[in-house]
Amino acid sequence: MSHSPSTTPVLTIDGPSGSGKGTIAALVAERLGWHILDSGALYRLSGYSAIKKNIDFSDIEELVNNTLNMSVRFESGRIWLDDEDVSLEIRTESAGNNASKVAAIPEIRSCLLQWQRDYVKAPGLVADGRDMGTVVFPEADIKIFLDASAEVRAERRYKQLIEKGLSANLAHLVEEIRERDDRDRNRTVAPLCAADDAVVIDSSDMAIESVKKQVLEVVKLRLPDLVIA
Ligand code: DC
């Protein structure tokens, strides 16, 4: 079942890792008073949980079973997996790489499809990921594709990791971002790409506030009757 454009509005924000999607999605969702879906977190949780349980990534059946049985709670900015606060653990670069690996498995993508669609709730949803506008919410009212150069994205990721007290190496980050982009863009299922009807924003030389402003302008254009408090 796909999302119907006549019901709750959906804004999708897709883009490569480190493009600022997460930050922009959170700021725009807050401004609009809408719910938020961090779809990358679901892939991160799937990979993280599999590693913790020593599940081999080639054992697709076990991976799918484990993913479907995860008990996940998003609460006040924290993420809980089976009653453990994993907010920090799933943000490491290795968790990101594991997420990218499980995300390339078609069976994992299909088992997360309905889960993601169930996040649509009034008054609206901002969904951030790689295939939000192309696969999960093809009928979304507003679609944004947020891009930035690999170098700029690596620098942003570096700052985020250091701020969180995690260790990081800039040169490795550029390399890892390129590798991850390559895997995300070239996988056979739901590869990272802009939907035909997405507005593409290159944020390489833009401040967060300007990106937020531009996204809100697109929202107003696409939903002229929407009252933004
Ligand atoms: O947005 P993120 O860095 O948290 O995503 C982690 C990985 O999950 C990313 O490398 C690709 C994958 N992903 C995906 O394939 N589809 C999505 N909708 C979201 C994330």
Side-chain angles (χ1 to χ4, degrees):
M1 197 185 72
S2 74
H3 161 73
S4 153
S6 60
T7 54
T8 307
V10 173
L11 157 62
T12 60
I13 307 185
D14 288 306
S17 59
S19 60
K21 291 174 287 122
T23 309
I24 293 299
L27 288 172
V28 171
E30 192 191 9
R31 183 74 186 85
L32 297 173
W34 288 8
H35 300 279
I36 189 159
L37 163 63
D38 171 3
S39 63
L42 298 179
Y43 290 97
R44 284 173 184 266
L45 287 162
S46 170
Y48 176 81
S49 173
I51 292 280
K52 273 211 104 177
K53 293 183 180 167
N54 281 322
I55 298 170
D56 195 304
F57 279 15
S58 61
D59 188 347
I60 312 272
E61 204 182 323
E62 194 51 32
L63 265 186
V64 168
N65 271 338
N66 188 59
T67 301
L68 286 173
N69 286 316
M70 294 187 308
S71 157
V72 174
R73 264 188 303 134
F74 291 88
E75 221 173 72
S76 325
R78 314 291 309 171
I79 302 178
W80 299 80
L81 170 68
D82 303 329
D83 288 329
E84 184 197 346
D85 182 348
V86 295
S87 318
L88 208 57
E89 286 83 348
I90 63 158
R91 296 295 163 201
T92 63
E93 287 310 294
S94 91
N97 279 319
N98 288 326
S100 167
K101 284 178 194 158
V102 295
I105 303 170
E107 290 85 347
I108 292 288
R109 302 202 75 83
S110 15
C111 87
L112 287 178
L113 199 56
Q114 193 55 47
W115 190 342
Q116 296 173 90
R117 287 179 179 158
D118 289 342
Y119 274 88
V120 179
K121 281 186 194 84
L125 178 74
V126 179
D128 126 44
R130 302 292 189 291
D131 61 342
M132 297 294 98
T134 48
V135 177
V136 183
F137 302 111
E139 318 273 350
D141 309 74
I142 316 129
K143 298 182 185 178
I144 303 288
F145 189 85
L146 199 54
D147 214 343
S149 72
E151 289 74 14
V152 167
R153 288 184 285 129
E155 258 170 56
R156 288 179 187 162
R157 189 65 108 201
Y158 179 81
K159 281 189 197 147
Q160 275 175 0
L161 291 168
I162 298 296
E163 273 165 22
K164 283 181 184 156
L166 298 165
S167 66
N169 173 301
L170 190 57
H172 285 168
L173 282 176
V174 176
E175 211 175 291
E176 276 177 4
I177 276 194
R178 289 219 169 96
E179 254 175 50
R180 180 128 51 108
D181 276 3
D182 202 47
R183 192 161 47 224
D184 291 345
R185 285 182 200 273
N186 296 313
R187 67 182 173 220
T188 45
V189 274
L192 168 66
C193 65
D196 291 342
D197 50 351
V199 173
V200 179
I201 301 176
D202 187 327
S203 73
S204 301
D205 300 315
M206 286 171 83
I208 294 277
E209 267 311 306
S210 320
V211 181
K212 174 185 162 188
K213 201 166 154 234
Q214 199 168 329
V215 172
L216 286 168
E217 271 160 18
V218 180
V219 172
K220 281 183 211 153
L221 239 131
R222 294 280 163 90
L223 298 175
D225 296 333
L226 183 76
V227 179
I228 303 177

